[in-house]
Each structure stands twice: as C-alpha cells, then as structure tokens.
Amino acid sequence: MAKMNRRRFLQMAGLGGLAAGLPYAATWGSQTKARVVVVGGGTGGAIAARYVKALDPSIDVTIIEAIPQHTTCYMSNWVLAEMRDLDSLTHSYDNVKRRGINVIIDRAERIDTEAQQVHTAGGERVAYDRLILAPGIDFRWNAIEGYDAAAAEILPHAWKAGPQTVLLKEQIKAMDDGGVVAIVAPPNPYRCPPGPYERAALISHYLQRHKPKSKVVIYDTKDAFSKQGLFQAGWERHYPGMIEWVGGFETDGGIRRINPEAMSMHTTFDDFHADVINVIPPHTAGRVAIESGLTDDSGWCPVDFRDLESTLAKNVHIIGDAIVSSALPKSAYIAASTAKVAAVAVIDHINGREPGKPAYFNTCYSLLTPEHSISVSGVYEAVTDADGEQSVVGVGDSVAISPAGADDRFQGREARYAASWYDNLVDQGFG
Amino acid sequence: MRRKTLEAALIAGLLTAGTAAGGNEMASGELLAFQCAGCHGFNGHSVGPATPSIAGFSEDYFVQAMMDYKEGNRYATIMDRIAWGYSEEEFEAMAEFFAAQPYLPAEQDFDAELAEVGAGIHDRYCSNCHSAGGTYPEYDSAQLAGQWIPYLEDSFEDFIEHDRPQPRGMQRRLADFSDTDVQALIHYYASQQDPAAYVHAD
C-alpha cells in the first residue's frame, strides 16, 4: 500500500516537477544564486558540498578550509602498523573544485550568524543563505594539568592526523625493545570511540614484529569502552600479555596531571612512567563553533535532529563530530551520514519545502590485526520526546557489534570491508 | 570522467521528485539510499574492491537480497545487522533509487586468457539465468559482470559453501566446477568493462 502511494506520488511529482521542483535560481528568476557555505573541508564538509551541488547544481557552493589538503584521521592507526603511509590518507581538493564547488583555503574564525557571514583569518567576509558547519573537534588544553598545545609537540595526541601521526610513529620506532607505550584515553564524548583501542592493537602489531618485549598500557578515564569485549578478546588472542587496560575505576578517573619532561603521568594516588606517551585529551566542538556561539555548556553544538539546524542560530546546520552528544557516535561514517541529511535539508529549505524525515546510519570498523577486524553499525532515527525535545535513537536491534568468537573468514572479510569502506567513504567527498 | 557527468543529471532529477515526498512516516528513498554510499560508493558505484556496486540492481533483487539478510538467509558479517534496522517498505524505496542509477563496471586488471575460458563456461552453464553475459540486472540476481574480483571471489565462496540462497541447479553446477573454472568465470565477469554493454532493467 505504501509502495503504491509512493509510486503514484513519484509519478505526480515527475509531472508536477516542472513547476514545483525547479531549482532555486530558475524559480526565483533573478541573477542571485542561493549561496551555501560549508565551513570545514573534512569528510563531512566535502561530502555535504558534493551532495548539495549534485542535488541542485544552480546553488553556489563554497567550502572554507584552513588546510590545503585533507588527511583523514580515520585509518591513521594503519600508519602506526606500517600498513599505509600518510600520503595514502591525504586528499586534495582538485576533484571538489572540478565539480564546480568553490574552495577557499583560509581559516574560518567566526560566523556572524546575524549578518550571515563567515569571517576568515585572511580578512574575508563570506556571505551565505545557508551554512553547513563541519568544524570537527578541538581539545580542552590543560583539562589534564600540564597537557597543552606545547606539550602535544612532545607527547603527541595524534588525534588529528598529519604531523602528529608521524611524531607518534617516529617515537615508537625510536623506542628500545622492552619499552612501554602509554595511551591516555579520553572521556566521552569524543571522536572515534573505538579508536584508542584499535590504536593499542595496531601499535602492538608493530611492536610484536620489531620490539616484542614491549608493552602498551591504556590509562582510561572511563570504566568501559566501545566494543570492549571484542577488543579484549582480540588483544588476548593476537598479542597475549602485551596490552594492559587500566580502567578509570582503578585510578579514580584516570590521568589528572602530566609532566612531559619527566615522561610521567599522575592520577589522584599514583604515578606512572612510560617511554612513549600518547595523550588523547578531552574534546570540544571545533573552535569556530565555540567562537560563534554555536555550542552549549557541554562544549558541543545542539541541533534539531530533524534537519540538523542549530538550535542556537537560524540557517546554520551542524554536521559530524561537533554535534552535541547523542546516540550518534562521533565516527567518520556519521560525519558522512549527517552531511547528507543536512545537504538534503538545505536543498529543501532553499526551495521552500519542509524537509522530510531524516535517515541516519553508521558503520565503523576497527582492526585487531591487518587481517582481523570487528565492526559496529546502526540505523538511527530522529524522535520527539514528551517535552518536544528532539533526539535520535537506534532502530530496533540494528545498533550491534560483530559477534564474539567470529572465525578468521568472518574477521578477514571485515578487514577487507574496512579498506573498501575507506575507499568509498573518501570517494564520496574527494573522489 | 563519465561518472562525473552522469551524477549531476541523475541525482538532481531524482531528488527534486523525492524529497518533496514529505510525510513524516518514512525518510525518502533517496536519503535512505545515500546512507549506503559509505561502503557501496556514491550512488552505488563502489570504488572499494571488497564491496559490490549496487547501482542498477533490479528492484526485485535489491529487496530480495535485503530481506534475505534481514531474515538470516544469507551469509553476512554486517549486512544482517544493518538490515534489521529497515522495513521492507524502506528497502523498496531504496531499491527504486538504485534501480534508476546506471550500472558502471569496475575498471580493474583481469587475466584475458582466463576470461576467454570463462566466457565459454558462462555461455554453456550460466547464461540461461544470467543473460547477456551476466550484464543484465535480473529480477532474481544482480549483474555479475563488472563487479570487483575480490567481491566475486567472496560471492562464489558463499554460494559454494551453501551460505547463500540459490536454485538447486546452480548449487549442483557449482559443485562440479573446479577452482580454475570459478576463477575463469570471475575473470570473464571482470573483463566486461564497457559501460555501454550494460542495460537498464525495465
């Protein structure tokens, strides 16, 4: 029945499309094109720009991004395991430009949401009709005492890929056999929930082959973590005795202070040392979101999950990691997923239509070894609670991880799917 | 390059019709389908060798495949879990989108000699059901031609291990094939890289 209705509707829309469906510029009949500005040219931003342009080529689409090439943070753990080099994770904006999308390489400092203009470090004022904000994350420096931007040059976070990834890799490479690599794992919410634990596995993969007497210790603020059972079983199987996880409950909430000179980490009661220290500090939404008044007390951007419009400013849609904590994980796939929801909503708004129901979907792979992977996936929908608050929930039993004890055929396929996931995910924005 | 010229025309045309669907019971088929692209490629054209292109699938086959995953009838690592999150109506809406997309064969290396042997095997044993050299989107099968070799290898493994629904005749046939026969078929399918050879289902 639903199918019949829908088909009939599509036929009607097809006929009526000449009147109702014409792109904005033609409908409005003026020289003014609708201007969509995307702040942040990472995965979410690049994909949002492509979909907006593809859905309505009459719209003038501009990406503002500070860094001339994008290096994906996802898959950067593969670099630590010598599976890939950083170049293979680095993507230019050539294809983006070829599609008729303007790319401004400049830092967006602040968005004037009243005047609907983006102010850049280079002194530009870029006006928009609709803004898609994809600012990614920034760090809460000194939330761990002693860990600030300068300390990160000694003890890398490697949670934004690029020179930080190389620094961590080089430090592990220079470490003596029998050394200890510490990973300081952040509190929720943060980018890539399984990332620190995949990192432990892939660093161990490297150490096992080059420095087999070494260890990896994870100092967590949390009492539990993403895909925990699968990770712990995988660590034990592939790297027996090599990886130790110290939960927040064991240390009264994890590392509170760090001394980069002494290579020491301090909890309320204990002092720890390591030869390489990878500190992943607590996160906030990307700085431009904070500077523009688009974050709440949590440091993240509240949105209406029906169309991802900010609840703090009109005509601004937020995508990716910067969205306020919800059932949606801060994954690359959700950055892509929210990019599409926002792109379609922006097109609808510009053409004077009420956006339809959104559709959110996540898939995220984590490698245990180059040939063994585990995954989590989930279908999500926007819901309205009794107070009229918008949120998202998983649909049915769809938010689920790979089964425990899966065989090599299964985990091997997931490892190959992970590589194809990367190829396709990146291709949507940069291909 | 051909990808780039097609995309704007097709996707724009569909979307104008689709998003206006309004009604808050279900997301549009287009937006639902967009969510598949992270693994199956922009508009269903996979550039990753382990995941199939799903553009141009017949609507019947797309829905059948998804329902097989949902109901546990088909070997899966992740597609079963994903399918749990959608209704048959949503699959139908996605199917409509993907069926409207042109199928683009993967550009990949193949063994020409093997492919020639495979063409003979296909014509003799497979072509009754997989017509036009496996390029046609059948109601009960996807295009075999033009998929990535690693994906085809996984698929054959699943059929041979009886982890995927298949007609009895196909099951018997596959049991008789040698590993070389299977490789020959795979390279034959991979060899068909002319987009013009692929037609749309009606």
Side-chain angles (χ1 to χ4, degrees):
Chain A
M1 195 61 196
K3 187 177 177 181
M4 284 308 293
N5 286 341
R6 187 183 155 69
R7 280 186 189 288
R8 242 188 53 210
F9 178 81
L10 274 178
Q11 285 165 3
M12 285 158 54
L15 294 170
L18 287 173
L22 276 181
Y24 171 90
T27 317
W28 284 52
S30 73
Q31 281 91 336
T32 329
K33 291 178 173 181
R35 297 156 303 178
V36 171
V37 172
V38 180
V39 168
T43 294
I47 291 175
R50 183 179 186 183
Y51 273 85
V52 170
K53 194 68 185 173
L55 295 177
D56 189 343
S58 76
I59 292 177
D60 188 51
V61 183
T62 301
I63 292 177
I64 304 175
E65 164 59 46
I67 304 168
Q69 291 197 310
H70 181 63
T71 303
T72 63
C73 200
Y74 49 98
M75 256 33 168
S76 63
N77 286 334
W78 295 36
V79 176
L80 304 176
E82 299 184 312
M83 295 167 60
R84 288 218 188 194
D85 59 27
L86 208 56
D87 283 350
S88 74
L89 308 183
T90 301
H91 309 281
S92 82
Y93 291 98
D94 293 350
N95 290 331
V96 175
K97 292 179 198 162
R98 209 168 293 143
R99 295 183 191 287
I101 295 162
N102 313 305
V103 179
I104 299 175
I105 300 299
D106 196 349
R107 184 174 297 281
E109 300 223 297
R110 192 173 67 81
I111 296 144
D112 182 338
T113 55
E114 291 298 319
Q116 302 202 169
Q117 285 185 338
V118 181
H119 295 210
T120 73
E124 300 268 345
R125 301 278 183 276
V126 185
Y128 63 84
D129 296 303
R130 288 266 163 184
L131 183 85
I132 296 178
L133 181 59
I137 56 142
D138 262 300
F139 301 117
R140 295 180 192 272
W141 300 121
N142 283 314
I144 299 172
E145 191 186 333
Y147 194 75
D148 56 15
E153 298 303 317
I154 306 164
L155 312 180
H157 54 74
W159 218 240
K160 291 185 180 185
Q164 280 278 312
T165 315
V166 175
L167 183 61
L168 179 58
K169 188 185 176 195
E170 293 303 318
Q171 288 183 354
I172 295 168
K173 210 170 164 182
M175 187 180 80
D176 290 337
D177 190 8
V180 174
V181 178
I183 299 172
V184 178
N188 291 320
Y190 63 99
R191 157 183 284 179
C192 192
Y197 315 98
E198 181 196 60
R199 177 169 285 180
L202 291 183
I203 289 175
S204 296
H205 177 75
Y206 168 84
L207 294 174
Q208 198 173 53
R209 285 172 304 143
H210 300 288
K211 307 167 200 284
K213 296 200 286 284
S214 308
K215 282 193 68 171
V216 176
V217 183
I218 304 164
Y219 295 103
D220 217 323
T221 53
K222 304 181 292 300
D223 295 343
F225 60 89
S226 170
K227 305 175 188 165
Q228 182 166 354
L230 296 178
F231 271 117
Q232 289 178 322
W235 294 342
E236 206 42 55
R237 177 181 168 200
H238 298 289
Y239 316 105
M242 200 173 223
I243 300 174
E244 184 189 351
W245 177 68
V246 181
F249 55 88
E250 296 176 65
T251 58
D252 188 30
I255 304 298
R256 312 256 174 186
R257 183 166 64 85
I258 281 179
N259 184 338
E261 286 74 37
M263 293 297 282
S264 62
M265 297 162 282
H266 309 275
T267 68
T268 313
F269 306 113
D270 295 302
D271 308 312
F272 299 104
H273 286 81
D275 300 285
V276 174
I277 303 178
N278 167 213
V279 183
I280 307 165
H283 297 14
T284 63
R287 197 149 316 283
V288 64
I290 299 172
E291 298 298 325
S292 309
L294 294 167
T295 51
D296 64 15
D297 292 344
S298 72
W300 302 95
C301 301
V303 294
D304 182 330
F305 282 98
R306 288 172 299 185
D307 63 356
L308 297 175
E309 188 166 18
S310 168
T311 57
L312 301 174
K314 296 298 290 174
N315 301 329
V316 175
H317 298 255
I318 317 274
I319 63 173
D321 294 342
I323 294 173
V324 73
S325 183
S326 74
L328 301 177
K330 297 192 185 300
S331 69
Y333 209 110
I334 286 296
S337 178
T338 52
K340 294 161 194 174
V341 169
V344 169
V346 160
I347 299 287
D348 282 338
H349 282 299
I350 285 173
N351 286 290
R353 296 187 296 253
E354 188 65 24
K357 189 180 172 186
Y360 296 108
F361 173 62
N362 180 51
T363 289
C364 155
Y365 289 98
S366 305
L367 291 197
L368 300 169
T369 79
E371 287 87 37
H372 298 84
S373 177
I374 54 179
S375 65
V376 64
S377 59
V379 180
Y380 300 86
E381 63 181 347
V383 292
T384 311
D385 70 15
D387 303 327
E389 286 282 303
Q390 291 297 321
S391 65
V392 282
V393 295
V395 178
D397 299 326
S398 71
V399 181
I401 56 173
S402 323
D407 61 14
D408 286 354
R409 176 189 177 193
F410 190 110
Q411 293 196 339
R413 264 199 209 177
E414 292 226 288
R416 288 186 289 109
Y417 289 157
S420 288
W421 171 100
Y422 184 84
D423 293 341
N424 280 309
L425 194 57
V426 165
D427 185 68
Q428 296 173 90
F430 297 94
Chain B
M1 272 321 281
R2 60 178 193 266
R3 223 162 256 192
K4 283 157 196 174
T5 44
L6 278 168
E7 112 183 11
L10 267 154
I11 197 176
L14 267 166
L15 236 288
T16 10
T19 48
N24 271 329
E25 285 167 2
M26 198 173 102
S28 72
E30 293 73 29
L31 183 53
L32 288 166
F34 291 166
Q35 301 296 339
C36 308
C39 295
H40 293 281
F42 190 84
N43 286 359
H45 305 127
S46 176
V47 297
T51 37
S53 286
I54 55 177
F57 277 22
S58 72
E59 291 185 45
D60 284 331
Y61 177 68
F62 183 93
V63 174
Q64 184 60 53
M66 298 311 295
M67 292 306 289
D68 279 342
Y69 282 128
K70 190 178 169 89
E71 290 163 4
N73 296 329
R74 180 168 169 178
Y75 181 79
T77 60
I78 194 167
M79 281 308 304
D80 49 354
R81 289 177 269 150
I82 292 169
W84 297 341
Y86 296 106
S87 66
E88 190 165 357
E89 287 69 29
E90 286 171 318
F91 291 144
E92 285 167 357
M94 293 182 217
E96 204 171 349
F97 174 84
F98 285 115
Q101 306 303 313
Y103 181 83
L104 299 176
E107 292 172 19
Q108 60 188 324
D109 293 336
F110 61 93
D111 183 322
E113 270 178 49
L114 263 181
E116 207 179 312
V117 175
I121 298 173
H122 177 89
D123 284 346
R124 183 146 178 216
Y125 298 113
C126 313
S127 57
N128 272 356
C129 302
H130 300 282
S131 53
T135 63
Y136 190 78
E138 310 287 351
Y139 81 96
D140 59 350
S141 162
Q143 300 85 337
L144 310 178
Q147 293 289 4
W148 291 100
I149 289 173
Y151 170 70
L152 288 167
E153 288 175 340
D154 284 345
S155 297
F156 270 95
E157 181 182 68
D158 292 348
F159 281 120
I160 290 165
E161 299 288 328
H162 298 179
D163 282 341
R164 218 172 133 166
Q166 59 194 305
R168 202 180 292 248
M170 176 170 158
Q171 203 174 96
R172 276 203 305 273
R173 200 68 83 194
L174 280 173
D176 290 341
F177 285 161
S178 69
D179 290 351
T180 315
D181 293 338
V182 170
Q183 277 301 314
L185 280 169
I186 287 172
H187 282 262
Y188 170 57
Y189 298 136
S191 72
Q192 292 160 278
Q193 297 186 12
D194 177 10
Y198 293 80
V199 294
H200 253 82
D202 298 321

